[in-house]
Amino acid sequence: MSKEVLQELSKLLPAGRLLTAAAALSPYQSDALTAFKAKPLAVALPESAGEVIETVRWCAKHQIPFVARGSGTSLSGGSLPIDGGLVIGLNRLNRILKLDPKERVAVVEPGVVNLDVSKAAAPFGLYYAPDPSSQPVSTIGGNLAFNSGGAHCLKYGMTSNHVLGAKVVLPTGEVVELGGESLENTGPDWLGLFVGSEGLMGVALEIKLRLLPKPEKYHTVLAAYDSLEKAGSAVAMVVASGLLPGAMEIMDSLAIEAAEAAVQAGYPQDAKALLIVELEGETLEVEAEARHLSEVIEASRAYKVQIARNEAERAKIWKGRKAAFSAVGRLSPDYIVQDGVVPRSKLGQALSEIEKLSLRYGLRVANVFHAGDGNLHPLILYDGRVPGELERGEELAGEILKLCVALGGSITGEHGVGMEKKRYLPAMFAEADIELMRKIRQSVDPHELSNRGKMFPGGEAEALVRQGLHPLEKRGVISRE
Amino acid sequence: MVIKTPTIPEIQEAVKAQPRLLCRAGGSKQALSGADGSVTLDVSGLSGVLEYQAGEFVFTALAGTPLLEIEKMLSEKGQYLPFDPPLADAGATLGGTVAAGLSGPMRWRYGGVRDFILGVKFVDGEGSLVRGGGRVVKNAAGFDLPKLMVGSLGRLGVLVELSFKVFPAPQATRTLRVAFGRLEEALEACLRLAASAIELYALDFEPPAGLALRLGGLEKALEERSRRLWSFLGKDGELLEGEREARYWRGINNFGWAGGKPLVKVALTPKKIAGLEAALLHSSNPLPSSTRRYHAAGHLLYMAWDGSWTELDTLLKTQGLAGLVLAGNPLSPALGINSAHPFGERATRALDPQGKFAR
Amino acid sequence: MQHKIPVEKLGPQGETMARAVEQCVHCGFCLPACPTYQVLQEEMDSPRGRIFLMKEVLEGSLKPVDAEPYLDRCLGCLGCVSACPSGVAYGELISSYRMHQEATRRRSPLEKAFRFGIQETLPYPARFRAAALFGSLAKPLGSLLPKKLSAPLELLPSALPAARPLPELYPAEGSRRARVALLAGCAQQVLRPEINWATLRVLAKNGVEVVIPKSQGCCGALSMHTGERARALAFARKNLEAFPSDIDAIITNAAGCGSGIHEYLLLFKGEADFDKAAGFAKQSKDVSVFLSELGLLAPKALHSPVQVAYHDACHLAHAQGVRSEPRSILSSIPGLDLVEISEGDLCCGSAGSYNLEQPEIANTLGRRKAANIVASGARLVATGNIGCITQIEAALKKQSPEFRVLHTLEVLDLAYREILG
């Protein structure tokens, strides 16, 4: 890379918005999956859509791979820099361009933080529904790229179900409008393809979001169980009862311990499992459903039931749940967050299999999951300083993913494939499936510039600095030399 | 030429062998499946539910499975298709519904067909059998090909198998029809309702100035909720309950109101309604407003049209709208503004490099 | 997070630093809580970014001088500590790191002079008073001076209040319920002596006898937070000697001093007199905490209702976890309507001597805080730290000059004296 080429880029950006010094680049080396690190060529911090377009065109012209990122909270390494590539930091594009309470649409820039959309909509009695645990931090652009989920996906779906349209710069530098402001469209759902494509097909510049009226009433129940199985079957019972809660979450004892230490949510410390069920909607309906729900919970043999009496108590229950991932950092120097899905009826089976795996590998596993969706988040605790633990942890993580697929589920419910799971994509899809996806990508991005090296197994640019050898490397199957 | 009831390998063979193909099953959306000189693949025989566990609220069926069969299966377990696809009585199939991208009045509550499709298996333009998505309610692995197929009109591949999530059906429903003096008043009430905490299964605008509102939920709360809805509107209306209510919506969703005239779907936003209604009234061959129906608080219009297609095409363009002809004989089923873009073109080339499904 | 920090080579604070790095999982929950990140939107100006930088410097893969600009910009407000779900002791990390690096750090002559100026004046009330008086006179010349020198002037009031030396003992009213010692605070005595007097009156009214040790000095926080470990230790030791032992608590009424004393546990790590320092830290309490524990004498109802916004001083809320006590003190005044300030967790930009060293960011934060305070609807703001009071007053002066900025204890004192509203 010649100096002149970078010089050319710096002229496209406001002064000081192209970072090249080692100390400025270093903090961009990882996202929220620190097992992967890579040092980018530079970090561009554009302040307008026009500057993003110019930056992408510069990348296209010089065939420099790039990754667009917001707050870098990906748990799958999705916003990991590309070695020698450009990082396009979109945090400064953080304006809410339009908020139309009447039509319930917000048009935002990609760097707008998820929760800020709801904050801006709150005075109108509206909110933005998808609520990944990272919502005070993560940006809409990143949510869109990874089709982020959250605790409240059961009823109203994931990010993809709430994005109406997007203006996108393709990796070739072309700018397109996908979708619109209507809930409906005619013709193929190109927007549906773009959302969740993990940044492999371009950068969203403006995003049209659907806002929902804030539910009039929440009914949040915290039920404690003396076994994980009972909590699991309670979920099945709630679903079978015909109720459609906004969220159903389970935490096991390790996760409870961590969350309690972090935010003092008031969880019963002796519980083997906690179930959070939240009904939401019209007051009259929720009140009627609540009576129904309490019968079900009673029948599920919860030994302690707590119902949030006000918003503060509700917030407290959720705070513990949402802090659970990071809180596990208190229990163990290192851990791997996994994200797999199983059919809901197989939750119990999956959990007992995970427990067996945990014993076999000699590593503790904390479980926090979106039970209503069958979306598991096993957190595998290990100590990276103990030789072999990381490798064992990774192998265990892999086993869990294979288990999910074997049970008819998925290798990822909401964190995406990114860097972390690309080698497991073939466990879920046949060669022809992956081949077609790759063809679509190459057709849109012929030089594979946009977030190169992610999602697809193998391929080029797996230039990573990792902690220790990958299990496959150790067995001599792959090599990164 | 029509290839009748092919098996999946036969579909793959046909795609490889034929230069141009058109797929059809129930034939309920005649404008999208009418013979156009290509070889027609009649996949109506590709029918049947492959997997359904009521406890999972997920099913997988072959693309040619009639909606009626699926609705029956679900209702036996107290479940339903929340996107409420139209034309079930006319023989519409699951695959046709996805390919045409059609949802009905109740899509207002939880979303349209794109929001409920989980997985897809299809034969691409090179004859490969490929799969996207999965069979679980949450899945972020790989590109979202299932969504892409919604509204793809068979131009990206031949759908053979589809997985959906479903929801528990409301224990009881009732409907309130309210008439307003003027279109603006009805629309204003519609927008107010849409932004309110009142949760409706259907929120339809019936031109010239009516609303049809469908409430659903637990039987015991419904009475009080209806009263609340009434007082929110500050207006009386006609209450539909029981069998009569079900028949009413069934009729709506089978387009009986279109009087057998050519039918068009238009995607729009509420603010475009007034302009569109005015333009339609001033068109050269205006139909009565009872031959139009706006679902989902004005985001989805189904309308009958008896005039020239060129005129409607221009009219929609002027309004900045795009439409899709479902019944009738236009030159092309796509009307109004052209939304082609390089992203779509590039992706289409990957799925169908030789243009076998192009029309 | 994994690291290769050579713990054993880094002295008594090595383990503390390594542990903090280990606990960080880089989840990013600290980003919205970090004032510099909010202003600059760059990773290296975020807590987790700084953790990466410190880690690499400590590991030896990054030159300290390269990381300096970003680490210097940290306010030390500890907003990130409150936000961190993983329990990273960021405050201990950055303080230890600064102390560790300062020894070998090269500074320009101007920088040295400036820092020397701060270190040699702020902690000494008499010197600070003289300098501040001079500064007040020099205020009109501000526009002629370089930014670095004009910024401190902006914070100064146009006239200094008269010096009002404190007595050595302030007796309790009525029967004595407790006996405490007061740490008078350095800058506070000069900029607003009224705070200490209000504190004394309030404590007395509540039956508390207060000793004000004459030989006390700066708590050392300012030196510690700027990496001057030896100086901080000297200050702290002076206080260990100065304060009597026959007391129920050591009272601080400036959040910065209070949190500084609580950091003696870190400062004295590896020192022979660690236990003594730890005991001292354990005994010290913010005045609001002490009063809440003691049980407050209820003030009479106000003549007319007053709206008061409460500003969380970072060194109270984030560093000492004191949030509810000042609020309940204010709420106990009948007729006082307590309102919250949006973005309340965000630093006002004062942060010890930060507004002197990084005036641009400090000013941006000050303006942001002032706007949020104004938006609260109140026309009086209460807080528990002299630094915040000075910073907020300066920022509000430009937006809403009619605003009053008072210490929580001043508000209570006025209520007791029935002259608040």
Side-chain angles (χ1 to χ4, degrees):
Chain A
M1 165 70 39
S2 71
K3 267 228 157 73
E4 292 75 55
V5 176
L6 262 184
Q7 198 78 54
E8 188 185 317
L9 175 59
S10 75
K11 282 186 194 137
L12 300 172
L13 298 163
R17 295 282 161 255
L18 184 69
L19 312 176
T20 51
L25 298 185
S26 157
Y28 286 90
Q29 64 188 285
S30 292
D31 50 24
L33 184 62
T34 53
F36 292 90
K37 290 176 195 163
K39 291 238 169 158
L41 161 76
V43 175
L45 299 169
E47 298 187 339
S48 70
E51 288 166 19
V52 180
I53 296 168
E54 288 310 313
T55 302
V56 170
R57 286 182 180 160
W58 175 87
C59 290
K61 180 177 160 195
H62 300 288
Q63 296 203 9
I64 290 166
F66 61 89
V67 53
R69 60 163 259 173
S71 297
T73 57
S74 172
L75 291 165
S76 60
S79 47
L80 178 81
I82 300 148
D83 227 19
L86 185 70
V87 170
I88 307 177
L90 297 172
N91 305 74
R92 286 173 172 266
L93 276 87
N94 57 1
R95 286 153 289 224
I96 295 180
L97 302 171
K98 179 179 130 179
L99 202 152
D100 182 345
K102 223 171 164 180
E103 302 244 330
R104 297 181 299 117
V105 173
V107 183
V108 306
E109 291 187 322
V112 170
V113 167
N114 173 308
L115 197 58
D116 287 346
V117 180
S118 288
K119 278 190 194 158
F124 308 103
L126 303 171
Y127 79 118
Y128 174 64
D131 64 337
S133 292
S134 61
Q135 76 180 143
V137 192
S138 61
T139 61
I140 295 294
N143 288 179
L144 181 148
F146 280 78
N147 190 18
S148 300
H152 289 79
C153 291
L154 197 51
K155 209 166 178 174
Y156 297 116
M158 324 243 296
T159 301
S160 192
N161 307 104
H162 298 269
V163 175
L164 298 170
K167 180 175 163 185
V168 170
V169 56
L170 300 179
T172 48
E174 296 152 295
V175 176
V176 297
E177 294 269 359
L178 307 177
E181 286 193 10
S182 175
L183 293 170
E184 284 282 328
N185 75 326
T186 56
D189 193 347
W190 299 116
L191 178 71
L193 173 65
F194 185 79
V195 176
S197 61
E198 303 200 357
L200 267 64
M201 299 207 267
V203 184
L205 305 167
E206 276 177 23
I207 303 154
K208 297 187 176 89
L209 301 174
R210 173 165 78 115
L211 303 174
L212 296 185
K214 205 165 166 3
E216 193 173 28
K217 169 107 182 153
Y218 288 104
H219 177 79
T220 314
V221 178
L222 183 72
Y225 294 87
D226 56 19
S227 79
L228 206 47
E229 288 67 36
K230 278 188 197 158
S233 51
V235 170
M237 288 164 74
V238 173
V239 173
S241 75
L243 288 171
L244 187 58
M248 271 197 281
E249 302 284 305
I250 291 182
M251 297 166 77
D252 72 2
S253 48
L254 266 180
I256 298 167
E257 182 191 335
E260 195 56 28
V263 302
Q264 296 84 45
Y267 293 159
Q269 284 297 284
D270 50 349
K272 285 281 181 297
L274 279 182
L275 169 67
I276 301 171
V277 184
E278 184 163 276
L279 300 170
E280 56 177 47
E282 250 185 274
T283 307
L284 293 167
E285 176 72 10
V286 169
E287 281 169 355
E289 288 177 0
R291 287 192 289 275
H292 203 51
L293 177 65
S294 66
E295 286 163 24
V296 178
I297 295 291
E298 198 170 315
S300 73
R301 290 178 295 153
Y303 75 83
K304 193 171 176 189
V305 180
Q306 214 174 301
I307 295 166
R309 284 165 300 183
N310 49 44
E311 186 50 38
E313 288 189 6
R314 171 179 181 248
K316 214 167 157 191
I317 291 176
W318 279 112
K319 198 172 179 193
R321 165 60 190 88
K322 298 210 169 191
F325 281 9
S326 317
V328 167
R330 290 170 185 262
L331 302 184
S332 167
D334 303 283
Y335 63 91
I336 299 167
V337 179
Q338 257 316 344
D339 165 44
V341 186
V342 296
R344 285 176 279 210
S345 59
K346 302 210 168 121
L347 267 176
Q349 190 184 343
L351 290 170
S352 66
E353 292 287 334
I354 290 173
E355 203 179 334
K356 277 184 220 153
L357 286 168
S358 162
L359 286 174
R360 172 141 50 95
Y361 280 81
L363 295 172
R364 292 184 296 167
V365 178
N367 283 292
V368 183
F369 50 98
H370 307 307
D373 298 319
N375 189 180
L376 300 167
H377 288 309
L379 301 151
I380 300 154
L381 315 192
Y382 69 95
D383 185 344
R385 288 172 301 190
V386 178
E389 279 213 357
L390 167 75
E391 291 74 14
R392 283 218 309 283
E394 288 201 322
E395 264 181 69
L396 171 53
E399 292 284 338
I400 292 175
L401 293 182
K402 284 179 210 149
L403 170 71
C404 290
V405 175
L407 291 175
S410 170
I411 56 167
T412 168
E414 51 187 9
H415 297 171
V417 176
M419 213 48 227
E420 188 207 9
K421 289 185 176 157
K422 44 193 247 179
R423 64 182 184 273
Y424 297 108
L425 201 65
M428 187 147 165
F429 292 109
E431 209 173 303
D433 311 340
I434 296 173
E435 199 41 45
L436 179 66
M437 291 182 201
R438 207 192 278 273
K439 274 200 298 201
I440 296 175
R441 191 275 173 81
Q442 283 167 343
S443 188
V444 174
D445 181 4
H447 301 293
E448 302 202 3
L449 299 179
S450 197
N451 214 2
R452 177 186 288 178
K454 311 287 171 62
M455 192 198 278
F456 292 111
E460 76 282 60
E462 198 176 348
L464 298 168
V465 186
R466 287 183 49 109
Q467 320 276 345
L469 292 176
H470 184 269
L472 292 177
E473 273 179 304
K474 276 173 96 185
R475 274 180 255 137
V477 179
I478 59 164
S479 149
R480 267 186 291 232
E481 253 47 75
Chain B
M1 183 175 90
V2 177
I3 303 176
K4 272 266 264 191
T5 56
T7 60
I8 293 171
E10 282 166 1
I11 294 173
Q12 290 179 271
E13 276 315 303
V15 170
K16 284 179 189 154
Q18 303 297 336
R20 276 165 69 77
L21 279 145
L22 175 79
C23 191
R24 60 165 276 153
S28 63
K29 295 160 284 279
Q30 155 273 330
L32 303 175
S33 57
D36 68 343
S38 325
V39 173
T40 302
L41 270 173
D42 183 345
V43 294
S44 51
L46 210 62
S47 174
V49 174
L50 303 175
E51 192 181 347
Y52 173 51
Q53 278 184 38
E56 284 297 330
F57 289 77
V58 166
F59 74 87
T60 299
L62 291 169
T65 313
L67 292 176
L68 273 182
E69 190 181 324
I70 288 166
E71 286 177 354
K72 184 165 171 289
M73 167 187 87
L74 295 175
S75 76
E76 279 166 10
K77 301 286 179 190
Q79 302 178 3
Y80 81 124
L81 290 171
F83 54 97
D84 198 14
L87 293 168
D89 290 337
T93 61
L94 203 56
T97 299
V98 169
L102 299 186
S103 305
M106 284 201 287
R107 67 111 46 237
W108 174 241
R109 181 74 186 94
Y110 294 114
V113 55
R114 76 183 296 271
D115 299 305
F116 285 87
I117 189 166
L118 297 177
V120 63
K121 206 182 246 184
F122 65 97
V123 176
D124 73 7
E126 295 189 286
S128 299
L129 180 66
V130 288
R131 199 168 62 82
R135 288 183 179 190
V136 277
V137 295
K138 216 168 173 187
N139 171 30
F143 291 151
D144 199 341
L145 300 179
K147 273 204 184 61
L148 177 61
M149 292 300 145
V150 175
S152 64
L153 301 173
R155 291 174 197 178
L156 303 175
V158 181
L159 299 175
V160 299
E161 189 188 301
L162 297 153
S163 297
F164 278 91
K165 69 170 174 173
V166 297
F167 276 168
Q171 195 185 65
T173 56
R174 53 169 64 181
T175 294
L176 182 67
R177 293 183 70 199
V178 197
F180 291 81
R182 291 167 40 239
L183 175 138
E184 291 75 17
E185 274 175 59
L187 283 180
E188 185 58 38
C190 176
L191 280 174
R192 235 169 23 96
L193 269 171
S196 80
I198 295 177
E199 294 173 334
L200 297 167
Y201 273 79
L203 173 43
D204 276 22
F205 168 62
E206 304 177 294
L211 294 181
L213 314 168
R214 191 173 202 188
L215 271 175
L218 292 179
E219 177 87 62
K220 56 188 164 198
L222 215 50
E223 184 61 40
E224 215 180 325
R225 289 176 65 207
S226 323
R227 278 202 297 277
R228 181 188 183 193
L229 178 58
W230 243 282
S231 75
F232 183 91
L233 292 166
K235 240 177 160 22
D236 264 351
E238 182 196 359
L239 181 70
L240 300 177
E241 284 179 292
E243 193 46 43
R244 206 168 136 238
E245 193 231 11
R247 255 202 328 273
Y248 169 78
W249 286 109
R250 196 128 202 117
I252 299 289
N253 221 5
N254 283 306
F255 305 129
W257 45 267
K261 299 236 170 6
L263 193 74
V264 182
K265 167 191 164 171
V266 180
L268 75 171
T269 55
K271 66 178 161 228
K272 302 251 186 183
I273 294 177
L276 178 62
E277 279 295 310
L280 288 169
L281 236 56
H282 292 102
S283 67
S284 58
N285 187 17
L287 288 174
S289 50
S290 61
T291 60
R292 289 187 289 282
R293 184 99 195 170
Y294 293 84
H295 298 312
H299 281 261
L300 169 61
L301 162 67
Y302 289 114
M303 59 175 275
W305 175 257
D306 218 3
S308 90
W309 292 114
T310 328
E311 184 183 354
L312 184 58
D313 185 54
T314 313
L315 189 151
L316 288 175
K317 276 196 181 105
T318 316
Q319 299 296 321
L321 295 171
L324 177 71
V325 184
L326 305 179
N329 291 298
L331 277 173
S332 153
L335 300 177
I337 53 169
N338 179 4
S339 47
H341 46 66
F343 181 67
E345 285 152 17
R346 287 168 180 276
T348 304
R349 273 206 296 279
L351 285 147
D352 181 18
Q354 295 162 63
K356 300 204 168 186
F357 308 126
R359 293 188 80 192
Chain C
M1 179 162 61
Q2 299 275 302
H3 63 84
K4 296 189 193 83
I5 298 172
V7 178
E8 59 293 343
K9 288 190 199 151
L10 297 172
Q13 276 87 20
E15 189 57 48
T16 306
M17 292 192 276
R19 174 92 185 117
V21 169
E22 261 165 43
Q23 281 209 297
C24 175
V25 298
H26 216 244
C27 66
F29 272 66
C30 52
L31 301 183
C34 177
T36 54
Y37 184 79
Q38 284 301 304
V39 173
L40 301 165
Q41 297 280 332
E42 296 174 343
E43 273 295 317
M44 56 284 189
D45 284 300
S46 75
R48 68 173 185 186
R50 292 188 179 107
I51 292 175
F52 255 142
L53 291 172
M54 288 186 267
K55 166 181 171 284
E56 296 202 342
V57 170
L58 295 173
E59 284 174 340
S61 59
L62 189 68
K63 277 191 275 179
V65 61
D66 291 342
E68 267 163 25
Y70 312 116
L71 297 175
D72 284 355
R73 282 208 279 263
C74 170
L75 295 122
C77 73
L78 308 187
C80 53
V81 173
S82 295
C84 179
S86 309
V88 175
Y90 177 87
E92 296 188 2
L93 171 60
I94 188 112
S95 287
S96 305
Y97 178 89
R98 281 176 173 167
M99 289 189 284
H100 180 259
Q101 292 300 320
E102 193 57 33
T104 52
R105 181 162 175 174
R106 288 202 189 148
R107 292 184 182 274
S108 73
L110 176 71
E111 227 185 325
K112 270 189 193 157
F114 185 75
R115 281 174 67 91
F116 185 75
I118 291 176
Q119 297 292 338
E120 286 294 316
T121 50
L122 269 183
Y124 305 94
R127 293 184 206 168
F128 179 48
R129 187 171 165 78
L133 268 176
F134 177 75
S136 295
L137 295 174
K139 251 176 116 71
L141 305 175
S143 57
L144 304 174
L145 295 169
K147 190 87 194 149
K148 184 113 193 161
L149 296 177
S150 70
L153 297 183
E154 290 196 14
L155 290 168
L156 286 174
S158 33
L160 276 189
R164 293 170 61 197
L166 297 167
E168 282 189 60
L169 186 92
Y170 200 88
E173 281 176 32
S175 66
R176 197 178 89 177
R177 295 164 73 199
R179 175 179 149 88
V180 301
L182 176 72
L183 183 87
C186 320
Q188 176 164 285
Q189 293 181 59
V190 176
L191 293 171
R192 191 166 303 179
E194 184 57 18
I195 295 172
N196 279 332
W197 283 99
T199 303
L200 293 178
R201 283 192 295 270
V202 165
L203 287 170
K205 199 162 178 72
N206 281 282
V208 183
E209 178 180 279
V210 188
V211 187
I212 305 105
K214 207 156 186 84
S215 57
Q216 66 172 291
C218 174
C219 65
L222 192 72
S223 310
M224 184 169 167
H225 291 156
T226 47
E228 308 267 356
R229 181 159 187 264
R231 194 188 278 269
L233 273 171
F235 275 131
R237 287 195 171 116
K238 193 171 169 212
N239 282 332
L240 298 188
E241 294 312 315
F243 276 73
S245 53
D246 59 335
I247 45 169
D248 299 312
I250 295 163
I251 297 295
T252 55
N253 57 1
C257 309
S259 87
I261 292 175
H262 284 108
E263 278 187 278
Y264 284 1
L265 277 81
L266 177 68
L267 180 67
F268 280 81
K269 207 163 259 184
E271 298 292 319
D273 46 357
F274 176 86
D275 288 345
K276 192 168 180 190
F280 188 89
K282 220 174 144 191
Q283 231 189 348
S284 71
K285 270 180 193 154
D286 185 74
V287 64
S288 64
V289 176
F290 177 78
L291 281 170
S292 295
E293 286 172 2
L294 183 74
L296 195 65
L297 178 75
K300 286 212 185 100
L302 301 179
H303 302 302
S304 56
V306 176
Q307 239 187 12
V308 176
Y310 177 71
H311 162 74
D312 275 307
C314 296
H315 286 107
L316 260 189
H318 301 308
Q320 300 181 64
V322 177
R323 294 181 178 85
S324 62
E325 293 88 345
R327 285 180 171 82
S328 58
I329 285 180
L330 292 168
S331 308
S332 74
I333 303 173
L336 186 148
D337 176 21
L338 186 66
V339 295
E340 292 293 322
I341 300 166
S342 64
E343 295 191 316
D345 282 336
L346 208 62
C347 179
C348 65
S350 166
S353 57
Y354 187 89
N355 45 9
L356 308 179
E357 300 199 9
Q358 302 276 352
E360 268 174 48
I361 297 170
N363 283 341
T364 309
L365 290 169
R367 280 195 302 274
R368 188 160 167 169
K369 183 57 74 182
N372 278 323
I373 290 174
V374 171
S376 76
R379 285 293 166 269
L380 194 166
V381 60
T383 187
N385 192 36
I386 182 64
C388 305
I389 291 176
T390 316
Q391 169 82 354
I392 291 173
E393 256 185 348
L396 278 170
K397 206 157 53 192
K398 292 169 194 156
Q399 296 187 23
S400 280
E402 79 284 4
F403 231 98
R404 290 169 80 194
V405 187
L406 297 176
H407 190 283
T408 309
L409 269 278
E410 286 184 289
V411 176
L412 182 58
D413 178 48
L414 292 176
Y416 279 144
R417 291 158 62 197
E418 298 177 40
I419 50 173
L420 179 61

